[in-house]
Amino acid sequence: MKRIIPLIVFLIFSVSCFKPQDYKVAMNAFKMKKWDEAAKHFGKLVLDHPDNIEYKVKWEMAKNNASKLHIKKGKQYELKKEYDKAIAEYKIALMYDPTNQYVFDRVNAINAKIEKIKEKAARKEYTIAKAKQKAYGKNGIPVLNPSSNEPIDLYFPRPTSLKKIYHALGKASGINILFDESFQDKQIAIDLRGMTFYNALKALMIASGNFYKIIDEKTVIILRDTKQNHQKYDDKIIKVYYLSYAKPDKLKNNLRLLTGIKEIFDDKDLNCVVVMGTPQQINIADRIVKLTDRPKSEITIDFDLMEVNRSNLDKLGLLPTDLQNPAYKVGAGLIPNSSGDEGNTGGNGFINLDNATWMFAIPYLQVDFLKSIGKAKEVANPTLRVSEGEKAKVLIGQSVPIATTSFTPFTGISGTNNNSVAGIGGQPLTSYNYQEVGIKIEVEPRVHHNGDVTLKLKLEVSSIVDKTAFQPVIGKRTVETVVRVKSGETVMLAGLLKNSERTSLNGIKGLADLPVLKELFSNTSKEVQQTDIMMTITPHIVRGPNIVEDDLLPYSVGSEVESNFPPEGFIKKEEKQEESIPEPAKPKTEKQLKMGKNKNDKIANKGGESLNSVSLTPAIVSFSPKRSVKQAGANFSVTLFATNFKDIDNTDLVITFDPKVVKVLNVMDGGFMKQDGVDASFVPVWDNRNGKIAITIDRRGGEKGRSGTGILANIIFQAISPGKCTLKFEPSSTIKNFDDMKVHSTFINGEVIVK
């Protein structure tokens, strides 16, 4: 007995000191100040041990510290003006502390800033092009609004009063038809079956020789088709076309020729055309302006230019040493021995031969055997961007001054016969004109609709060929051509070759002509110079002609008679709802839903919203596999699968299960919400006592939400005892988009059967 008592005390002490494995992980995170992880693990402990005070205290402390940490991060991001990341941090802080009013205020303030930024950006994006698109087809004229645009069924096989036919048409379409005093009633037979209201009205107008004037959207007046009535009743519209690319003077001529508009003028300062005409004329003008006011095509042209100069000089033979005054001369003469002795010369000035010395003059010569070879290469690679129909020029060279001299005129002679003064004049006046010398390229492109480019090229190569003259002598070589190539295709121009060869012979007359001795008594010089130009041109289309299928379709302007009626655009048509995504499947009837429930096809619809939405495809969250059969004691995984997610930023999922049949071992992140590189918080909490799982996934920052299909989470279960367990989404489950708005969503339940 004495041995048993200590053993019992030890067992009681051991049980009281036992802590779950999650406690160690949670405390380790708590000590390392990893508050998110600590809050997560202590939350699990609180769900499993709701009566444990220590767990609750630690959980509250971890949540409080985690909230402070994320508030601090949010402030830092806010100072950096990274508002998306700041809001993401503040949202996490609110998740830990939903009562923090400061965080609510900061989120609202940041949202207000973001709205202002968006409004400012929207104002910048509101360009003249968007304004033109918005105003296209609007002219302030009333538009008829018949009750239906479906074909009518009116048939008058026998001659019937026009007024009765008009009244029948008005009754069928809900349009009130009035008659002018000039209207003349008569009997006609007409078949209007299968026609829309507009076509039936136009057929009646042509058959009866009338036209109509729209009073308001439900009223027209019928008038006799005369010039006086048109002048009295026809609508006139003034419209200003602000042009972005077309030239006003050219467009004015085109509109006057094609539409018959006489009241038209162009304003070159504002680059616009102002017209006044009938609705029919304005409609045609709208179409013409839309098709012609477009940007010109643009291309970039890559030039690869290479100039190669080669020279070869050979000199061989005798050459005078004095190159300034070269001479091959031989002479002889007497020179007195003493210039100061008068006896050396006779009285007649002759030199005394007895007292003189003979002198012989022989030229100083040098042997020249020079060979000189020179090569030079100049390379240029300019790139130009030019619009279609415009000229682009490139000059690689210099400007050379050319002197021009003129003389002032003489003023004549003034004064009397005894005292005359000569006129002043003939003074030289020199001015300089600069001429471009080097390589000059001119190119004019044209872009074709099939992607070809036509280049009109002119290449001019000039150089100074003689500098010794009073004026420099300039030589030119010019090539002009037109080529058509594909975009990116290279054209080569070569063969602008210049060859010059110069040979000279200097020597002693006679001896220089001897076949063998001429090399000893002469100097031969041979100089060869070659210059070659090679150029490659490669065009690239930067902006081509933006021609779409609608631009190629013909546009009917009607005949002269039909032009008396407003165009069909003056009949209001039924507005169709624009859909950016495909329509979902048709909603199930009540009977089908009941049948689905009988088959355990239970669908939890978020917030009680109808599945009849035609504007949005619902975001779907489902279990995979939807139905599984397991043996008791087995561990198994169920995947939470996301489908049709579009710009989703947050998911809050609450799932219930039968804790008597299965229990949760772990919930792991599927990674779908952060696959695009944006960090996302994943906070799962489960309660095996009450059979509930809560999963919150919140993206931290990013410029948009997550879209697509993928795995949200993997839930690890353990089968406990035989039975059927429904994995059911609670109505409080929500999915929010990037703007923090709840989206239309569908949650499909799952089922687990344990044997």
Side-chain angles (χ1 to χ4, degrees):
M1 188 66 181
K2 292 181 180 180
R3 294 180 180 180
I4 295 175
I5 293 175
L7 181 60
I8 294 173
V9 172
F10 175 75
L11 290 175
I12 294 173
F13 179 77
S14 299
V15 171
S16 62
C17 294
F18 174 74
K19 299 289 184 181
Q21 182 66 28
D22 282 346
Y23 177 79
K24 296 180 181 179
V25 177
M27 281 304 299
N28 185 42
F30 193 91
K31 293 177 181 178
M32 299 293 293
K33 295 184 179 181
K34 298 180 180 179
W35 304 118
D36 288 328
E37 188 176 347
K40 171 183 172 182
H41 290 290
F42 275 117
K44 292 180 183 179
L45 291 172
V46 170
L47 286 176
D48 292 337
H49 308 279
D51 299 330
N52 192 308
I53 302 299
E54 181 186 359
Y55 294 165
K56 290 183 178 180
V57 172
K58 294 290 186 182
W59 185 36
E60 292 297 331
M61 292 176 63
K63 289 197 298 181
N64 186 38
N65 288 322
S67 177
K68 291 180 180 179
L69 177 63
H70 288 289
I71 291 173
K72 183 179 179 181
K73 290 182 179 180
K75 290 180 179 178
Q76 292 174 349
Y77 284 128
E78 191 175 353
L79 290 175
K80 296 178 181 178
K81 295 185 178 181
E82 297 179 9
Y83 296 125
D84 294 337
K85 294 181 180 180
I87 289 180
E89 295 294 336
Y90 285 142
K91 284 182 178 180
I92 298 174
L94 285 175
M95 182 180 66
Y96 290 121
D97 186 7
T99 62
N100 194 323
Q101 186 61 38
Y102 170 78
V103 180
F104 273 111
D105 294 339
R106 293 314 311 151
V107 171
N108 292 333
I110 293 175
N111 284 329
K113 289 182 180 179
I114 293 175
E115 286 300 322
K116 289 183 179 179
I117 293 173
K118 289 181 179 179
E119 290 177 4
K120 188 175 181 181
R123 287 195 296 270
K124 288 183 178 179
E125 292 177 359
Y126 188 76
T127 60
I128 185 64
K130 292 185 178 180
K132 287 181 181 178
Q133 186 177 4
K134 191 174 181 181
Y136 181 74
K138 296 181 180 179
N139 46 36
I141 303 298
V143 178
L144 280 179
N145 185 19
S147 57
S148 174
N149 286 310
E150 296 296 325
I152 61 178
D153 189 13
L154 292 177
Y155 178 45
F156 302 92
R158 296 180 180 179
T160 308
S161 169
L162 267 177
K163 283 192 176 182
K164 289 184 179 180
I165 297 175
Y166 278 123
H167 285 311
L169 178 62
K171 187 176 181 180
S173 58
I175 298 296
N176 183 26
I177 297 180
L178 306 178
F179 300 94
D180 182 67
E181 59 183 8
S182 63
F183 175 78
Q184 296 179 0
D185 194 10
K186 60 182 179 180
Q187 305 284 323
I188 66 169
I190 193 168
D191 187 359
L192 303 176
R193 289 177 295 182
M195 293 186 181
T196 62
F197 169 74
Y198 172 75
N199 289 332
L201 186 62
K202 187 168 71 170
L204 274 175
M205 297 295 117
I206 296 174
S208 62
N210 298 319
F211 76 100
Y212 67 90
K213 158 84 174 180
I214 301 174
I215 306 301
D216 56 41
E217 65 177 15
K218 291 294 184 180
T219 307
V220 297
I221 184 171
I222 309 300
L223 306 107
R224 188 69 182 164
D225 190 2
T226 63
K227 184 177 181 181
Q228 292 77 11
N229 281 340
H230 278 292
Q231 291 177 346
K232 182 178 178 181
Y233 287 99
D234 276 351
D235 291 308
K236 289 288 187 178
I237 299 172
I238 294 178
K239 190 164 185 178
V240 181
Y241 294 101
Y242 290 96
L243 307 177
S244 299
Y245 307 101
K247 295 182 179 180
D249 53 346
K250 290 185 178 180
L251 183 62
K252 179 183 72 172
N253 295 332
N254 293 338
L255 292 179
R256 181 174 290 162
L257 178 65
L258 297 175
T259 65
I261 297 176
K262 297 179 181 179
E263 294 83 2
I264 180 171
F265 76 91
D266 59 307
D267 189 333
K268 295 182 180 179
D269 294 332
L270 294 178
N271 202 52
C272 68
V273 174
V274 184
V275 300
M276 183 173 72
T278 64
Q280 296 86 347
Q281 291 174 327
I282 296 301
N283 262 23
I284 300 172
D286 283 344
R287 176 78 173 178
I288 294 172
V289 172
K290 184 179 179 181
L291 292 177
T292 56
D293 187 28
R294 294 189 172 183
K296 289 183 178 181
S297 300
E298 290 189 7
I299 66 172
T300 58
I301 305 176
D302 298 330
F303 295 94
D304 288 327
L305 186 65
M306 182 170 63
E307 181 179 6
V308 179
N309 295 312
R310 294 180 292 270
S311 62
N312 191 349
L313 176 62
D314 289 325
K315 287 185 178 182
L316 180 63
L318 297 176
L319 189 68
T321 56
D322 187 1
L323 298 180
Q324 298 296 328
N325 297 298
Y328 294 90
K329 297 179 180 179
V330 178
L334 287 172
I335 299 176
N337 290 332
S338 178
S339 59
D341 190 355
E342 296 182 357
N344 291 336
T345 60
N348 55 5
F350 288 99
I351 298 175
N352 188 352
L353 295 178
D354 295 333
N355 194 19
T357 303
W358 285 93
M359 298 294 293
F360 295 91
I362 300 175
Y364 292 94
L365 301 176
Q366 62 183 14
V367 180
D368 190 2
F369 42 92
L370 173 66
K371 183 176 181 63
S372 175
I373 298 176
K375 291 183 179 181
K377 182 170 68 174
E378 295 182 5
V379 180
N381 305 100
T383 298
L384 298 179
R385 178 167 177 163
V386 59
S387 297
E388 181 180 17
E390 304 294 336
K391 284 187 178 180
K393 296 182 180 181
V394 177
L395 173 65
I396 304 172
Q398 58 186 340
S399 295
V400 178
I402 305 296
T404 303
T405 302
S406 60
F407 295 89
T408 59
F410 287 93
T411 59
I413 300 175
S414 62
T416 62
N417 294 331
N418 298 327
N419 187 17
S420 61
V421 179
I424 300 175
Q427 302 297 323
L429 296 176
T430 303
S431 60
Y432 290 90
N433 296 320
Y434 287 86
Q435 184 170 342
E436 296 173 344
V437 176
I439 299 173
K440 185 163 42 175
I441 306 169
E442 291 184 5
V443 59
E444 182 179 339
R446 180 188 171 195
V447 180
H448 300 277
H449 299 154
N450 63 348
D452 288 358
V453 180
T454 294
L455 299 174
K456 186 177 181 181
L457 293 169
K458 180 179 180 181
L459 175 63
E460 180 182 294
V461 180
S462 57
S463 61
I464 300 175
V465 297
D466 188 1
K467 296 182 180 180
T468 60
F470 175 73
Q471 294 278 24
V473 179
I474 298 175
K476 289 184 180 181
R477 286 166 288 163
T478 304
V479 173
E480 294 188 25
T481 184
V482 178
V483 295
R484 179 165 176 165
V485 295
K486 294 286 186 182
S487 177
E489 188 176 347
T490 300
V491 179
M492 173 176 282
L493 294 179
L496 294 176
L497 185 64
K498 176 185 175 183
N499 285 326
S500 62
E501 184 173 337
R502 185 181 301 168
T503 302
S504 61
L505 175 68
N506 294 320
I508 300 174
K509 179 66 175 176
L511 297 178
D513 297 328
L514 296 178
V516 179
L517 300 177
K518 67 178 182 181
E519 302 297 339
L520 299 176
F521 299 98
S522 66
N523 177 267
T524 303
S525 175
K526 185 177 181 181
E527 183 177 4
V528 179
Q529 289 186 342
Q530 289 183 335
T531 301
D532 194 8
I533 301 292
M534 290 181 289
M535 181 175 66
T536 61
I537 305 169
T538 307
H540 300 277
I541 297 177
V542 178
R543 179 170 59 203
N546 187 18
I547 305 297
V548 297
E549 184 178 356
D550 290 343
D551 301 335
L552 303 176
L553 297 176
Y555 184 69
S556 175
V557 297
S559 63
E560 186 173 352
V561 175
E562 290 177 317
S563 65
N564 293 333
F565 317 124
E568 192 172 359
F570 284 74
I571 305 297
K572 184 177 288 187
K573 298 182 179 180
E574 296 179 359
E575 297 181 357
K576 295 182 179 180
Q577 183 177 4
E578 295 183 0
E579 298 176 0
S580 58
I581 54 178
E583 292 186 8
K586 293 183 178 180
K588 295 182 179 180
T589 62
E590 185 177 352
K591 182 178 180 181
Q592 290 173 328
L593 289 175
K594 288 181 179 179
M595 292 176 63
K597 290 181 180 179
N598 294 335
K599 295 179 181 179
N600 292 325
D601 186 17
K602 297 181 180 180
I603 299 178
N605 187 23
K606 188 191 97 171
E609 293 181 0
S610 172
L611 295 177
N612 297 341
S613 171
V614 296
S615 60
L616 289 176
T617 300
I620 300 174
V621 180
S622 60
F623 291 99
S624 180
K626 183 179 179 182
R627 185 175 184 271
S628 58
V629 179
K630 302 295 178 181
Q631 296 292 330
N635 296 341
F636 62 96
S637 173
V638 176
T639 299
L640 272 180
F641 205 74
T643 308
N644 293 334
F645 269 35
K646 186 175 181 181
D647 201 27
I648 302 302
D649 197 62
N650 173 272
T651 59
D652 286 319
L653 307 176
V654 180
I655 304 167
T656 59
F657 61 93
D658 189 350
K660 297 180 181 178
V661 180
V662 297
K663 74 172 183 178
V664 179
L665 299 179
N666 197 7
V667 179
M668 297 181 293
D669 188 0
F672 168 68
M673 295 293 283
K674 54 185 177 183
Q675 282 180 352
D676 57 350
V678 177
D679 191 20
S681 63
F682 180 82
V683 182
V685 178
W686 60 88
D687 182 2
N688 283 321
R689 178 177 297 179
N690 298 312
K692 185 174 290 188
I693 306 171
I695 302 174
T696 299
I697 307 176
D698 194 9
R699 288 163 61 87
R700 301 176 179 176
E703 297 180 355
K704 59 182 180 179
R706 187 73 173 97
S707 300
T709 299
I711 297 174
L712 292 176
N714 290 304
I715 306 175
I716 309 299
F717 288 101
Q718 183 180 31
I720 300 176
S721 59
K724 183 170 70 173
C725 171
T726 300
L727 303 178
K728 182 180 179 182
F729 289 97
E730 289 293 292
S732 58
S733 299
T734 60
I735 300 177
K736 296 182 181 180
N737 60 16
F738 189 72
D739 296 326
D740 203 31
M741 302 291 292
K742 294 181 180 179
V743 302
H744 178 50
S745 52
T746 298
F747 300 98
I748 302 178
N749 299 330
E751 185 180 72
V752 178
I753 297 176
V754 179
K755 294 184 178 180

